[in-house]
């Protein structure tokens, strides 16, 4: 970057930092703000003042501490987005043009963003675990949206650039609607609050309508989730997002009484023993379409499962459907699939993500 461009960039970024500063609060004001109410999200605190909006993201790993805070006085204009889900959300909110850069571009499945990449309107900023700081500075990004991890060790050189780091801890929320409600925060950040509130109203009302319909049905089928990975089988905990989806679909799950919100790391033999009589089996995969014969060759234990023997196996091939792009902020789409599989006669139309494996 030449000296003149460096000066212009630094002046621009200083202006943005006064509007969206991560980690350091402004000098306290005597003005009383209006707290924004969230119906589901547990990690967000948003307070409106006359000249700015204050945002705090709670640390999901350290109770009572703040992960990061921001003071926002004007919308973000350009952002680097490191996840396909947030690219999809911004596209739904009419803010595709604000996606100045992405990371891990080969994993971005949003058509509009892929077209911008091909046209050079959106820039590939490298690996999300080690983004290209020079390129981010070159495009004059106001912010970068990243997925935080426990004990991540920070963001290295990115912390020194002045680019605001938006830590998208939405995936740590305890329920599908709690995660989806974060779209209201992104609406505030990108100046499309009305669109975000409107979309969330649709998601909220549709999800709860489906849940109420499901609960009126007789208790549905039991589900086994995911499949063996190497020497382990990662099963969703009973309090995980998937566990909540199964409960909201009025289905049954062998680990429904478990109180973990993350995944359970189990030996395949444990899963086969406990899930042998599950009525249906669902898993997500990528690559060439898989068959029952492929599964039988992968692990002999699958053939013990009732779901396998009865042909009640459903796979979601993420290479052919926009699963990871859509479900974080449209859990109503996924709940509909779960209801259809848990209650085959419910008449909910075609499956959106899953397909029966033959």
């Amino acid at each position: 970057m030449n000296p003149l461009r460096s000066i212009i960039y630094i002046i621009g970024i200083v202006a943005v930092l006064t509007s969206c500063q991560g980690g350091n609060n402004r000098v306290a004001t005597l003005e009383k703000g209006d707290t924004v109410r969230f119906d589901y999200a547990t990690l967000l605190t948003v307070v409106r003042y006359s000249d700015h909006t204050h945002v705090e993201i709670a640390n999901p790993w350290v109770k009572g501490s703040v992960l990061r805070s921001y003071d926002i006085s004007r919308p973000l204009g350009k952002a680097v987005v490191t996840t396909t889900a947030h690219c999809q959300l911004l596209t739904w909110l009419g803010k595709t043009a604000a996606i100045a850069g992405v990371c891990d571009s080969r994993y971005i499945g949003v058509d509009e963003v892929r077209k911008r990449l091909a046209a050079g309107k959106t820039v590939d900023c490298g690996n999300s675990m080690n983004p290209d700081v020079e390129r981010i500075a070159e495009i004059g990004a106001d912010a970068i949206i990243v997925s935080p991890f426990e004990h991540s060790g920070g963001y290295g050189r990115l912390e020194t650039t002045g680019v605001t780091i938006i830590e998208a801890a939405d995936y740590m929320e305890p329920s599908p609607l709690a995660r989806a409600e974060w779209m209201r925060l992104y609406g505030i950040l990108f100046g499309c609050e009305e669109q975000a509130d409107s979309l969330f109203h649709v998601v909220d009302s549709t999800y709860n309508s489906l849940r109420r319909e499901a609960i009126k049905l007789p208790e549905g089928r039991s589900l086994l989730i995911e499949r063996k990975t190497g020497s382990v089988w990662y099963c969703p905990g009973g309090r995980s997002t998937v566990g909540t989806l199964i409960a909201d679909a009025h289905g049954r799950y062998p680990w429904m009484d478990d109180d973990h919100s993350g995944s359970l790391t189990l030996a395949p033999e444990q899963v086969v023993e406990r899930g042998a009589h599950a009525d249906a089996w669902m898993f997500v995969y990528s690559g060439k379409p898989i068959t029952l014969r492929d599964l039988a060759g992968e692990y002999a234990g699958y053939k013990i499962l009732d779901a396998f023997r009865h042909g009640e196996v459903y796979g979601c091939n993420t290479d052919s459907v926009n699963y990871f792009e859509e479900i974080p902020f449209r859990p109503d789409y996924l709940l509909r699939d779960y209801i259809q599989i848990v209650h085959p006669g419910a008449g909910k139309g075609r499956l959106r993500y899953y397909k029966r494996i033959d």
Side-chain angles (χ1 to χ4, degrees):
M1 187 183 296
N2 65 45
L4 178 58
R5 292 184 68 183
S6 297
I7 292 170
I8 293 172
Y9 173 71
I10 291 169
I11 291 172
I13 211 66
V14 167
V16 170
L17 285 174
T18 63
S19 65
C20 187
Q21 177 63 51
N24 298 312
N25 298 343
R26 286 185 175 189
V27 175
T29 176
L30 295 177
E31 178 189 358
K32 183 178 180 181
D34 294 322
T35 300
V36 176
R37 175 186 170 184
F38 288 93
D39 293 325
Y40 304 97
T42 63
L43 300 175
L44 294 177
T45 300
V46 177
V47 183
R48 298 184 194 281
Y49 296 94
S50 61
D51 62 342
H52 72 286
T53 298
H54 182 71
V55 176
E56 286 189 0
I57 299 174
N59 190 325
W61 300 286
V62 183
K63 188 174 181 180
S65 68
V66 175
L67 183 65
R68 202 167 287 254
S69 63
Y70 310 91
D71 285 324
I72 305 157
S73 59
R74 63 184 177 87
L76 297 171
K78 292 182 178 181
V80 173
V81 184
T82 65
T83 76
T84 191
H86 294 89
C87 283
Q88 180 64 80
L89 175 63
L90 290 175
T91 297
W92 282 335
L93 297 180
K95 289 294 179 177
T96 311
I99 305 173
V102 297
C103 290
D104 299 321
S105 62
R106 66 187 182 280
Y107 298 122
I108 303 297
V110 183
D111 288 342
E112 293 90 335
V113 178
R114 296 210 63 82
K115 290 175 183 176
R116 288 180 60 84
L117 279 163
K121 296 179 179 178
T122 293
V123 175
D124 185 344
C125 294
N127 188 309
S128 60
M129 301 303 291
N130 186 28
D132 188 328
V133 172
E134 285 74 19
R135 193 168 293 175
I136 292 172
E138 186 87 12
I139 62 178
D142 300 329
I144 180 169
I145 297 177
V146 300
S147 292
F149 297 96
E150 187 176 16
H151 308 309
S152 68
Y155 299 97
R157 291 177 60 209
L158 194 59
E159 298 271 14
T160 68
T161 62
V163 176
T164 300
I165 299 172
I166 306 296
E167 298 203 68
D170 45 70
Y171 76 97
M172 289 297 296
E173 287 285 359
S175 73
L177 286 175
R179 181 179 191 179
E181 194 172 21
W182 273 58
M183 70 174 69
R184 297 178 58 205
L185 170 65
Y186 300 122
I188 292 169
L189 292 176
F190 286 89
C192 51
E193 190 173 354
E194 185 176 339
Q195 294 93 321
D197 287 350
S198 178
L199 178 58
F200 183 69
H201 175 73
V202 171
V203 174
D204 185 18
S205 60
T206 304
Y207 188 100
N208 278 304
S209 177
L210 288 168
R211 182 182 58 80
R212 287 191 295 269
E213 290 176 28
I215 208 69
K216 293 177 183 177
L217 298 170
E219 187 176 49
R221 302 197 295 175
S222 59
L223 300 180
L224 187 63
I225 305 295
E226 300 309 338
R227 75 191 221 252
K228 187 174 83 74
T229 302
S231 61
V232 299
W233 191 319
Y234 297 104
C235 286
R239 297 295 175 266
S240 67
T241 295
V242 171
T244 301
L245 281 162
I246 296 172
D248 288 345
H250 201 197
R252 291 173 289 128
Y253 179 51
W255 285 270
M256 190 67 82
D257 293 335
D258 173 82
D259 61 1
H260 290 86
S261 58
S263 293
L264 306 174
T265 304
L266 304 172
E269 296 77 14
Q270 290 177 276
V271 180
V272 169
E273 179 180 2
R274 192 162 179 176
H277 300 300
D279 300 304
W281 175 22
M282 303 168 63
F283 58 82
V284 175
Y285 72 103
S286 61
K288 70 180 183 67
I290 201 167
T291 66
L292 292 178
R293 177 176 291 184
D294 294 330
L295 290 170
E298 177 181 295
Y299 175 53
Y302 293 154
K303 293 185 285 187
I304 299 172
L305 303 173
D306 285 357
F308 181 92
R309 294 188 297 105
H310 298 152
E312 286 297 320
V313 183
Y314 298 83
C316 168
N317 189 338
T318 58
D319 285 350
S320 59
V321 295
N322 284 348
Y323 180 85
F324 291 121
E325 288 77 13
E326 295 180 350
I327 66 162
F329 298 105
R330 290 305 306 255
D332 51 319
Y333 288 166
L334 187 56
L335 179 60
R336 188 181 296 274
D337 268 18
Y338 270 77
I339 291 173
Q340 288 173 255
I341 293 172
V342 168
H343 305 278
K348 291 298 177 186
R350 296 170 60 87
L351 291 168
R352 184 182 185 92
Y353 303 113
Y354 288 87
K355 182 179 180 181
R356 188 193 296 270
I357 292 176
D358 299 317

